[in-house]
Amino acid sequence: MVNVFDTGCEYDPDDPDGYRSGVAHVGREAGGTANTVKLFETPPGQSICPYHYEYEEEWLLVLTGEPTLRGPDGERQLRTGELVCFPVGPTGAHKVINRGGEISRVMMWSSSREPAVAVYPDSDKIGVWPGDDADTVLLRRADGARDYFDGER
C-alpha cells in the first residue's frame, strides 16, 4: 500500500531546466505489475516531459496545484481532482506544465508495456524503449527514415 500524498519523489539532476520534475513509481511500490502508475511532483516553471503521444491510452489525475495541460486543441488549466484520458496516437498528445506558484502533484498511469514507442511532434523525434537501456533509440524521423531492406544482406 502507498499513500500518494505522503510519498516523496526523486529528481534526476541531469534533467534540463524546464523539465525538472520528481517522480515516484507508486504502482510498483504498491506491488502492481499490470499497469505503470507514477506520481509526478512539478515545481513552478517546470514540465513533466516534452509534448508527446504514445500508442497506448494514458491517464492523469490532478492531486494538488493547477497544472496547465497542452493538447492538440491548445492549452487549459487543470484543477485538483480533474481526471484526463489521453487516447492512443496524435489525438492523445500532451504536455503538463506547472505555470502556477506552488508545486503541482499529478498521478499518471497506463498499461505501458515494453517495447514502448513515443512520438515528439515539436522535435520530430520518435523514441523506442524495448526494455533494455542499451537498445533504447531516440531519433528524428527525417534523419532516421530508411528503406525496410536498407543495410540487409
Side-chain angles (χ1 to χ4, degrees):
M1 193 164 31
V2 174
N3 185 316
V4 297
F5 294 104
D6 295 335
T7 299
C9 293
E10 291 185 30
Y11 286 75
D12 184 338
D14 295 329
D15 285 347
D17 188 37
Y19 294 96
R20 293 189 179 136
S21 284
V23 64
H25 298 270
V26 294
R28 186 177 347 151
E29 290 175 28
T33 58
N35 292 293
T36 298
V37 184
K38 296 178 183 177
L39 172 67
F40 291 95
E41 178 179 273
T42 310
Q46 304 297 316
S47 299
I48 293 175
C49 58
Y51 186 65
H52 71 286
Y53 61 87
E54 299 175 45
Y55 289 96
E56 61 195 341
E57 188 175 87
E58 193 170 14
W59 290 80
L60 175 145
L61 175 64
V62 179
L63 301 174
T64 64
E66 295 183 340
T68 298
L69 172 64
R70 176 184 168 202
D73 297 329
E75 293 186 356
R76 70 182 284 266
Q77 190 171 358
L78 300 175
R79 296 185 335 240
T80 299
E82 286 196 272
L83 177 66
V84 182
C85 176
F86 305 114
V88 171
T91 59
H94 59 280
K95 178 179 181 177
V96 180
I97 311 143
N98 185 358
R99 293 201 175 107
E102 62 183 56
I103 288 176
S104 168
R105 287 173 70 101
V106 302
M107 192 164 58
M108 296 186 76
W109 66 93
S110 70
S111 59
S112 67
R113 305 254 189 266
E114 292 176 336
V117 175
V119 177
Y120 300 87
D122 291 346
S123 58
D124 198 35
K125 290 187 306 235
I126 294 180
V128 179
W129 291 265
D132 180 349
D133 287 345
D135 289 332
T136 296
V137 176
L138 264 164
L139 55 90
R140 292 200 194 284
R141 289 190 276 192
D143 296 341
R146 299 287 183 264
D147 180 77
Y148 179 72
F149 294 105
D150 182 42
E152 299 298 329
R153 295 179 198 221

